[in-house]
Amino acid sequence: GCGTGAVIELLHEKYHNAHYVGLDLTPDMIAVAQAKSLNGCEFVVGDAEDLPFPANSFDAVLSSNSFHHYPNPEKFFAGVARVLRPGGRLILRDYTLRNTFELPLARLAGHGDVRILKQSQFRAMAEEAGLSVLAMEAQKGWRAHLVAQK
């Protein structure tokens, strides 16, 4: 869920020689990202649970604050394991079970699909997909930070 490409834009500013691909389910978000015309960046309409990319095509996959919306998160992990090259890494940042402030507010605002997981659930899904978990922590007690490697 790259949205309007804000994270990719920040990465591009710092590491402008890398190639980036953003994926989002919403065509309007992708249109905004594409309008930024960032060299070496592609923005694709697609589903994170059915990644539209060939096997072994990425060195890294970054998922930032969209994972909690995925109805079938196991499919995301399986897809990541498929598209990562050997040695490639997944960096996933999202909410974890101890978040007692933002998630109730999200539900009140009509985001009923928001679901949070325990750290053990993140770890189990990554490992079931064949990824090795290098780090799993709750930063500030409520932000999940997972690093896994193929």
Side-chain angles (χ1 to χ4, degrees):
C2 71
T4 62
V7 171
I8 290 176
E9 190 172 14
L10 290 172
L11 287 169
H12 182 264
E13 286 174 17
K14 188 163 183 163
Y15 308 103
H16 54 272
N17 291 329
H19 178 79
Y20 301 96
V21 178
L23 177 82
D24 201 281
L25 206 57
T26 309
D28 289 346
M29 294 287 195
I30 292 299
V32 171
Q34 289 171 334
K36 294 177 181 181
S37 299
L38 300 172
N39 287 333
C41 298
E42 297 175 56
F43 294 96
V44 177
V45 175
D47 188 342
E49 292 182 355
D50 186 19
L51 295 170
F53 308 109
N56 302 314
S57 56
F58 290 93
D59 294 316
V61 172
L62 172 65
S63 176
S64 180
N65 294 329
S66 63
F67 181 82
H68 58 274
H69 291 290
Y70 303 165
N72 303 293
E74 306 84 11
K75 289 183 178 181
F76 167 75
F77 278 105
V80 168
R82 182 182 61 77
V83 302
L84 280 176
R85 292 182 180 111
R89 293 191 180 192
L90 165 65
I91 301 166
L92 189 153
R93 295 193 42 90
D94 210 273
Y95 305 107
T96 191
L97 195 57
R98 293 174 58 188
N99 186 334
T100 58
F101 178 71
E102 284 183 330
L103 292 173
L105 287 178
R107 287 189 183 105
L108 283 172
H111 299 287
D113 62 334
V114 173
R115 177 180 46 192
I116 49 175
L117 302 175
K118 297 177 185 176
Q119 290 182 56
S120 60
Q121 292 172 295
F122 282 103
R123 179 181 292 278
M125 280 191 256
E127 290 173 346
E128 187 171 311
L131 301 172
S132 298
V133 176
L134 303 177
M136 178 72 242
E137 59 187 86
Q139 296 177 336
K140 298 184 181 179
W142 52 277
R143 291 270 186 209
H145 179 75
L146 169 78
V147 179
Q149 185 172 29
K150 180 173 178 177

